[in-house]
Amino acid sequence: MGCDGGTIPKRHELVKGPKKVEKVDKSAELVARWNYCALSQEKLRRPIVACDLGRLYNKDALIEYLLDKSAERPNAEAAAHIRGIKDVKELNLTDNPAWEGDHGDAKGDRYEELRCARFICPVVGLEMNGRHKFCFLQTCGCVFSERALREVKTEICHKCGDPFQDSDVVILNGSKEEVEKLRQRMEEKRAKAKNGKKSRKSKAAATETEKGMKPGPSEENHSSSLSTTAVQKPESQKEAGSTSSAPGLPGTATSSRTVKPGAGAGAKRPVPAAEKSEAYKSLFTSHSSAKRSKEQMSNWVTHTPYHF
């Protein structure tokens, strides 16, 4: 312990008390949440996207994560709830005219102003640095301060004019209670979408089964023809029975005649030659109009001369 030269140790030097809990610097935490990507911990650069929980990401870093989720990443739990690129919305941010830009050539020998925010609210002009609540609309992706939406109450976006509802407003980098509320809303939204897909599939399957049970046009024609033949068949049988049971007339045979198939009412009967019209007969060479006289015939054309 020493005590050389008459030194007197104090109690806190001899007795070790409980360790003090390390407190996180709030200003450093705000800078990390509002100026850096929640997944790659790199500086936010356009295009910037936000999830349903209000976290900010670089779009290229998020796409790399979605393409290869098996790779080990230090902050993979920050994007574990993101299933695809449709679960995020690209933000439409408003630049701050007082922001001088990143000092990419800084070597640590100059002071970088991190308190000046890169983006502002287009309505009120508040800086997006974490000291004021900001939110974005899921319909169009425009970003506003909560004060602007509270003071200027409207159902149309202040920046682009698209309509929105209260359920479309998502708070950026909210507190734990606000994040839990957003998580519950996200789960309810996904459950509704899943139930909607199931109902659509069931309706599609029901319509397909109904279409399969209904007969097609060819089947309907076939069934109608079968029904007509079924109606005609007993009539033809009745006629056959009446002819067979009739008593024999003089000059006629008394034996029963067999009815040929197709001899019903729907069968076509041959038209006798006496009933054919002259126009029909003139189509054939045997008609008198098709015959030529001797003056019309040429001996050198026909192979059967008629002058012998």
Side-chain angles (χ1 to χ4, degrees):
M1 294 296 294
C3 296
D4 296 334
T7 59
I8 302 173
K10 295 181 181 180
R11 185 178 183 280
H12 71 274
E13 295 177 353
L14 298 175
V15 181
K16 293 183 179 179
K19 292 184 178 180
K20 294 182 180 180
V21 180
E22 295 181 359
K23 295 182 179 180
V24 181
D25 188 7
K26 292 185 178 180
S27 60
E29 185 182 4
L30 292 177
V31 170
R33 294 175 67 182
W34 291 91
N35 295 332
Y36 292 87
C37 174
L39 180 61
S40 63
Q41 296 300 317
E42 297 177 353
K43 282 190 177 181
L44 290 172
R45 58 182 181 273
R46 285 194 168 112
I48 301 172
V49 296
C51 63
D52 293 334
L53 301 182
R55 295 171 184 167
L56 301 175
Y57 308 90
N58 287 330
K59 191 174 183 179
D60 53 354
L62 186 63
I63 291 174
E64 290 178 2
Y65 165 76
L66 294 174
L67 291 176
D68 186 13
K69 291 185 178 181
S70 61
E72 295 182 0
R73 302 177 188 273
N75 298 316
E77 65 277 0
H81 61 284
I82 299 176
R83 303 169 299 178
I85 199 66
K86 292 183 179 180
D87 292 340
V88 296
K89 185 68 177 180
E90 186 172 346
L91 300 181
N92 185 11
L93 298 162
T94 305
D95 292 328
N96 185 5
W99 184 67
E100 297 180 357
D102 293 329
H103 301 287
D105 56 346
K107 300 179 181 179
D109 56 349
R110 66 172 66 181
Y111 173 73
E112 292 188 17
E113 180 62 46
L114 297 176
R115 291 178 296 178
C116 181
R118 182 178 176 182
F119 307 107
I120 61 172
C121 174
V123 180
V124 185
L126 295 175
E127 292 184 350
M128 186 175 156
N129 52 11
R131 292 179 175 83
H132 309 280
K133 286 187 178 181
F134 271 72
C135 52
F136 76 96
L137 305 179
Q138 288 182 333
T139 54
C140 57
C142 295
V143 180
F144 304 96
S145 62
E146 190 184 27
R147 184 186 299 179
L149 294 178
R150 185 176 65 252
E151 293 180 357
V152 186
K153 294 182 179 180
T154 180
E155 296 181 354
I156 299 175
C157 177
H158 301 300
K159 192 171 184 180
C160 62
D162 291 343
F164 69 93
Q165 299 177 358
D166 293 339
S167 59
D168 298 328
V169 180
V170 178
I171 298 175
L172 292 172
N173 291 328
S175 60
K176 292 183 178 180
E177 293 79 9
E178 292 170 346
V179 172
E180 287 299 325
K181 290 181 181 179
L182 292 174
R183 190 182 295 276
Q184 292 178 1
R185 189 169 71 179
M186 178 187 69
E187 292 176 356
E188 291 176 358
K189 182 180 177 181
R190 291 182 179 180
K192 287 181 181 179
K194 191 174 181 180
N195 295 332
K197 287 182 180 179
K198 287 183 179 179
S199 62
R200 286 178 210 159
K201 287 182 180 179
S202 60
K203 287 181 181 179
T207 52
E208 288 179 359
T209 53
E210 289 178 359
K211 288 180 181 179
M213 294 178 66
K214 287 183 179 180
S218 59
E219 295 178 357
E220 290 179 355
N221 295 334
H222 181 65
S223 60
S224 61
S225 62
L226 289 176
S227 61
T228 52
T229 52
V231 172
Q232 293 174 1
K233 188 174 180 180
E235 293 179 357
S236 59
Q237 289 178 355
K238 288 180 182 179
E239 291 177 358
S242 61
T243 53
S244 60
S245 62
L249 296 176
T252 60
T254 58
S255 62
S256 62
R257 292 178 297 174
T258 58
V259 180
K260 295 181 181 180
K268 293 183 180 180
R269 60 184 184 85
V271 182
E275 296 181 4
K276 294 178 181 178
S277 61
E278 290 295 329
Y280 177 78
K281 294 178 181 179
S282 63
L283 298 174
F284 302 95
T285 55
S286 60
H287 193 257
S288 59
S289 62
K291 295 181 180 180
R292 296 182 180 182
S293 61
K294 290 185 179 182
E295 292 80 5
Q296 294 176 347
M297 294 180 182
S298 301
N299 296 334
W300 57 86
V301 175
T302 57
H303 63 279
T304 54
Y306 290 93
H307 60 273
F308 291 108

